Amino acid sequence: MEFERPDFSLAAAEIFVAVMALVVMVTGTFLRRISRELGYALAQLTVIGAAFITVFSVDDPTVRYTFGTMYVSDWLGQVLKLFIYLSVFASLLYGRLYLIERRLEKAEYYVLMLLSMLGAMILVSANNLLVLYLGLEMMTLALYALVAFDRDNGLRSEAAIKYFVLGAISSGLLLYGMSMIYGATGSLDLGVVGQAVSLGAGDELVFKFGLAFLVAGIAFKFGVVPFHMWVADVYHGAPTPVTLLISSAPKLAAFALAVRLLVGGFSGLAETWQPMLMLLAVASIVLGNLAAIAQSNIKRMLAYSGISHMGFVLLGLLAGVTDGGHQQVFNAYSSALFYAVSYALMSLASFGMVLLLARTGFEAEHIDDFKGLNRRSPWFAAMMMLVMFSMAGIPFFLGFFAKFAVLEAVVSAGHTWLAVLAVIMSVIGAYYYLRVVKVMYFDEPMDRTALIASSETRVLLSANALTLAVAGLMPQGLMAVCGYAVLTSF
């Protein structure tokens, strides 16, 4: 029996990141004196190198497979990887001073960051149930360790335990669902599973039970209601650079997980998983916005707002189940991708601002810590205002067009009531974003200490916030990239 030789070039970025993670680990062991500076430099070079490899591999729009059919290389995966790289790069840059001031900067931190990124990369390009699970576990296990990295802090340890226990339960649900699908089809390949589901080649009841477990696992990774119980505690308890990472890259990986499983493997049961996503989306948008209003801690506020934003991503996915033709399906899935990417950019900027205000012995976790920011730094007060306006969906910022694209797809799919509910909750949710703007510009500052940050952080954070405004004025470019990624991948 002849075996096809795998094309390692399709997984060159993953191989490069894996090798560099080992290099950082070895240098941290044998070069202790310079391990911190060297670890940071090598980690950033790894992210940049992986981005170059990925960019140079997107010239071919065709979908290609390697390692049998376990690994897929397509535009959807490459676009998501590029934004995952951006999330990790920003997390490393924004959070470095925070780590140095708290004596947390160690080579092991950068190794865990790279391994988490590697897991997300594998998850994004997986075309096999087992590979999906392996990528997911590599990403989340590294995140558990990162949350607990400040091991002498009780709040960090508590958050890590909650994250680990609940994450283990969700992984078990996901794995149990995968085992049921494997039992019904005899294959782990998503293409074979999708074909079996479409042809009705297995027990439909087993498929539906397996699908229910898969949706539960996906919902936990998104952090949507009712699988949201970990989100606020982990966001609050984790070191802020880790919170920044958790709020961005894993959300993009979760989007890939949902698309690969639901759209790629279970499109034949779309009428079954659409109502599940509808319930999750409605509950998340309602509870996320209402719970965020009551928060005085900005990390918890952003956690609950993130739950509502993930509800909008689910709206885009469920809108793809329609009889309106290929164009409506394409618009729905591309709007979901556009929203996921837009949220990642907004989340990076929001937590970046929290890190900017933090200093030794001061976390800047409360909304009141932003009081009078305009008097301390008019420029960064303006940047935070842009971020809050975008997250609230105020015209004409990136967040507005992300919401508009999803709502347009939902209405086209015939779910007008869903769109009306989402708009009402968005208007209610605008309150807690505008409250941050109010305290920055109209309240007296509680702290007049100058903001301390490297020039690189100031430049990137400003560019991040300004991107939300510029991309809002000219959203066509990002929309086109997301649309092409969906068009060439399905």
Side-chain angles (χ1 to χ4, degrees):
M1 181 178 180
E2 292 186 5
F3 291 93
E4 182 182 353
R5 185 177 179 180
D7 185 355
F8 290 100
S9 66
L10 298 182
E14 285 83 352
I15 295 170
F16 173 71
V17 173
V19 171
M20 289 302 294
L22 295 176
V23 170
V24 176
M25 185 185 299
V26 171
T27 56
T29 302
F30 293 102
L31 300 173
R32 281 285 177 183
R33 292 184 179 180
I34 60 171
S35 63
R36 296 174 182 177
E37 294 78 7
L38 190 59
Y40 173 77
L42 288 175
Q44 291 288 41
L45 285 174
T46 301
V47 176
I48 295 170
F52 272 108
I53 294 172
T54 302
V55 166
F56 286 119
S57 65
V58 297
D59 55 340
D60 187 355
T62 59
V63 179
R64 293 172 291 174
Y65 299 90
T66 187
F67 304 112
T69 55
M70 291 193 295
Y71 183 95
V72 59
S73 176
D74 56 12
W75 256 70
L76 176 64
Q78 310 296 34
V79 168
L80 286 172
K81 283 180 191 175
L82 289 174
F83 283 100
I84 287 171
Y85 301 151
L86 178 61
S87 301
V88 175
F89 182 87
S91 180
L92 290 170
L93 183 59
Y94 291 163
R96 193 180 182 209
L97 183 60
Y98 180 98
L99 298 173
I100 292 173
E101 290 177 340
R102 290 155 183 79
R103 298 182 180 180
L104 295 176
E105 190 187 29
K106 300 175 183 177
E108 292 86 349
Y109 178 86
Y110 299 118
V111 172
L112 290 170
M113 291 285 279
L114 292 179
L115 290 177
S116 178
M117 185 178 79
L118 176 61
M121 294 165 66
I122 294 172
L123 173 58
V124 161
S125 292
N127 191 53
N128 180 284
L129 292 175
L130 189 58
V131 179
L132 272 172
Y133 185 75
L134 289 175
L136 181 65
E137 286 303 287
M138 179 178 287
M139 178 183 72
T140 53
L141 286 173
L143 290 175
Y144 301 153
L146 285 169
V147 173
F149 202 77
D150 187 4
R151 60 186 180 184
D152 296 326
N153 187 309
L155 185 64
R156 314 295 190 222
S157 300
E158 180 186 348
I161 291 173
K162 288 179 180 178
Y163 196 15
F164 174 72
V165 172
L166 295 172
I169 294 172
S170 76
S171 295
L173 292 174
L174 196 66
L175 194 59
Y176 190 61
M178 289 179 176
S179 67
M180 296 182 75
I181 301 304
Y182 176 70
T185 62
S187 176
L188 295 169
D189 184 273
L190 283 174
V192 176
V193 170
Q195 190 174 19
V197 170
S198 299
L199 297 176
D203 189 322
E204 185 178 358
L205 186 61
V206 175
F207 279 139
K208 290 184 177 180
F209 268 106
L211 180 59
F213 283 107
L214 293 180
V215 170
I218 292 169
F220 181 90
K221 300 309 174 187
F222 270 121
V224 294
V225 179
F227 304 95
H228 68 290
M229 63 289 292
W230 63 274
V231 178
D233 289 336
V234 172
Y235 276 42
H236 180 202
T240 308
V242 179
T243 304
L244 187 151
L245 178 67
I246 294 174
S247 69
S248 52
K251 303 300 185 187
L252 297 173
F255 176 82
L257 176 67
V259 170
R260 299 293 186 201
L261 284 176
L262 301 181
V263 181
F266 288 90
S267 57
L269 286 177
E271 298 296 334
T272 300
W273 56 255
Q274 186 198 42
M276 298 182 192
L277 295 191
M278 194 175 294
L279 289 173
L280 296 173
V282 169
S284 300
I285 292 172
V286 173
L287 188 142
N289 281 304
L290 294 180
I293 292 174
Q295 305 305 314
S296 60
N297 183 293
I298 195 164
K299 289 171 73 175
R300 297 183 74 89
M301 186 202 84
L302 291 172
Y304 282 111
S305 79
I307 293 172
S308 69
H309 284 294
M310 290 302 101
F312 270 90
V313 175
L314 295 183
L315 285 182
L317 290 174
L318 69 88
V321 184
T322 175
D323 297 327
H326 178 75
Q327 185 62 40
Q328 284 191 15
V329 175
F330 163 76
N331 290 340
Y333 292 144
S334 60
S335 72
L337 175 58
F338 179 57
Y339 200 102
V341 168
S342 300
Y343 171 73
L345 293 174
M346 293 186 290
S347 187
L348 290 175
S350 60
F351 283 106
M353 285 299 306
V354 175
L355 282 168
L356 182 69
L357 267 66
R359 61 181 186 277
T360 304
F362 180 69
E363 293 293 327
E365 291 183 347
H366 296 281
I367 294 175
D368 285 347
D369 295 331
F370 284 78
K371 283 185 175 181
L373 180 60
N374 182 53
R375 299 188 185 181
R376 295 171 61 192
S377 176
W379 174 257
F380 282 107
M383 295 301 101
M384 186 61 169
M385 181 178 66
L386 296 181
V387 176
M388 292 295 100
F389 281 176
S390 183
M391 295 191 91
I394 293 175
F396 290 89
F397 292 91
L398 182 61
F400 167 77
F401 286 102
K403 281 184 168 64
F404 182 82
V406 168
L407 294 175
E408 185 180 32
V410 170
V411 172
S412 297
H415 306 296
T416 307
W417 70 273
L418 265 180
V420 172
L421 177 66
V423 169
I424 293 173
M425 296 313 302
S426 294
V427 172
I428 294 173
Y431 163 77
Y432 54 83
Y433 295 119
L434 296 178
R435 180 175 58 177
V436 177
V437 178
K438 178 259 180 187
V439 300
M440 289 193 303
Y441 281 91
F442 298 105
D443 289 6
E444 289 294 324
M446 298 176 64
D447 181 6
R448 297 183 182 274
T449 306
L451 302 183
I452 302 173
S454 66
S455 56
E456 297 88 354
T457 299
R458 291 173 179 270
V459 170
L460 183 60
L461 186 54
S462 299
N464 192 345
L466 290 171
T467 297
L468 303 179
V470 175
L473 295 175
M474 297 178 290
Q476 300 87 351
L478 186 56
M479 283 182 172
V481 170
C482 295
Y484 190 74
V486 170
L487 182 65
T488 56
S489 301
F490 297 105

